[in-house]
Amino acid sequence: MIPVVLACAWGILASLPVLAFAGRVEATRRARALAAGNGPARVPRIVARSRRTLVGRVAAGLWRARRRRRAAEAVRRDLPVAVDLVHVAVAAGCTPHQAVELAARFAPAPVAAPLAHALRAVALGRPFDEAIGAVAAKEPLLAPLARVVRTGAATGTSIGRALTRLADEVRADARRRSETRARTVPVRLLFPLVFCALPAFALLTVVPVVIDKVPF
């Protein structure tokens, strides 16, 4: 009976961080619900109202940094798809402008949105070269693709080989980043292993033996 009670007590203690995290997630969800009507790039109102305090400023900074990091990861993940779309379009005989239109239409949203914004600027009269250059300035991860497209549009030369090399480079970079994240998995598993699995194993195996050996 005592081992069961000890195991239950340890399970309750181990679940407290999980419950606290769930509470923070729920609070974040409610804060976002209160911020209805704001754009996705704005800080929720509940955080913006507390900017005068140190905690509010730190929370707002962390929130923005997290959004920027996630946006950069999404662009980096979907960049090979956009490069392949531009490459296929150019190989099929499309101009750089038409290739960018194809990528803006069929590429994933994190990459397609900046390209679509550039095309809207071109439709309003901005030169194609300047619009693509603005994409590179706004989103540095798209700078290599923008540079290749601008070169093809300015010189009229084929950019197929350059796009092939670029596709190989972005895929190699994605592979390296995936391997780096995979190497951090053992470190991330250390906390649940030390504070959850090992104590539970001790409570279910070692503690009963010790209790049986102790005379009452």
Side-chain angles (χ1 to χ4, degrees):
M1 185 64 183
I2 296 178
V4 176
V5 174
L6 292 176
C8 293
W10 181 257
I12 294 173
L13 291 176
S15 64
L16 290 179
V18 178
L19 295 176
F21 177 76
R24 290 195 298 270
V25 172
E26 179 65 17
T28 303
R29 186 188 65 81
R30 292 181 179 179
R32 291 178 179 175
L34 290 174
N38 287 343
R42 297 188 62 183
V43 180
R45 294 175 183 174
I46 192 171
V47 177
R49 291 176 181 175
S50 60
R51 289 177 62 89
R52 296 181 180 179
T53 65
L54 178 61
V55 176
R57 288 194 294 268
V58 172
L62 293 175
W63 190 82
R64 286 193 296 267
R66 185 179 182 184
R67 287 192 62 87
R68 287 194 297 267
R69 184 169 61 253
R70 287 188 173 183
E73 291 176 356
V75 172
R76 190 178 288 108
R77 180 187 65 244
D78 297 330
L79 180 58
V81 179
V83 175
D84 287 341
L85 287 172
V86 175
H87 188 194
V88 170
V90 170
C94 296
T95 63
H97 186 280
Q98 294 172 335
V100 172
E101 288 181 345
L102 180 68
R105 182 178 179 182
F106 295 104
V111 180
L115 299 178
H117 181 75
L119 293 175
R120 286 194 295 269
V122 173
L124 293 175
R126 190 174 188 181
F128 179 75
D129 183 80
E130 294 182 4
I132 296 298
V135 171
K138 184 178 180 180
E139 183 54 68
L141 293 175
L142 294 178
L145 177 60
R147 184 164 53 250
V148 173
V149 172
R150 292 179 67 184
T151 301
T155 62
T157 58
S158 176
I159 56 176
R161 292 184 179 180
L163 290 171
T164 301
R165 289 193 298 270
L166 179 59
D168 294 338
E169 291 175 0
V170 295
R171 282 193 169 84
D173 180 70
R175 190 179 303 110
R176 286 193 298 269
R177 291 182 177 275
S178 298
E179 293 174 353
T180 301
R181 287 194 298 269
R183 285 193 292 268
T184 62
V185 171
V187 179
R188 296 180 180 180
L189 291 177
L190 186 62
F191 178 82
L193 177 64
V194 173
F195 293 97
C196 297
L198 292 181
F201 175 78
L203 287 173
L204 295 176
T205 58
V206 179
V207 173
V209 175
V210 174
I211 292 176
D212 290 339
K213 297 297 183 180
V214 176
F216 291 97

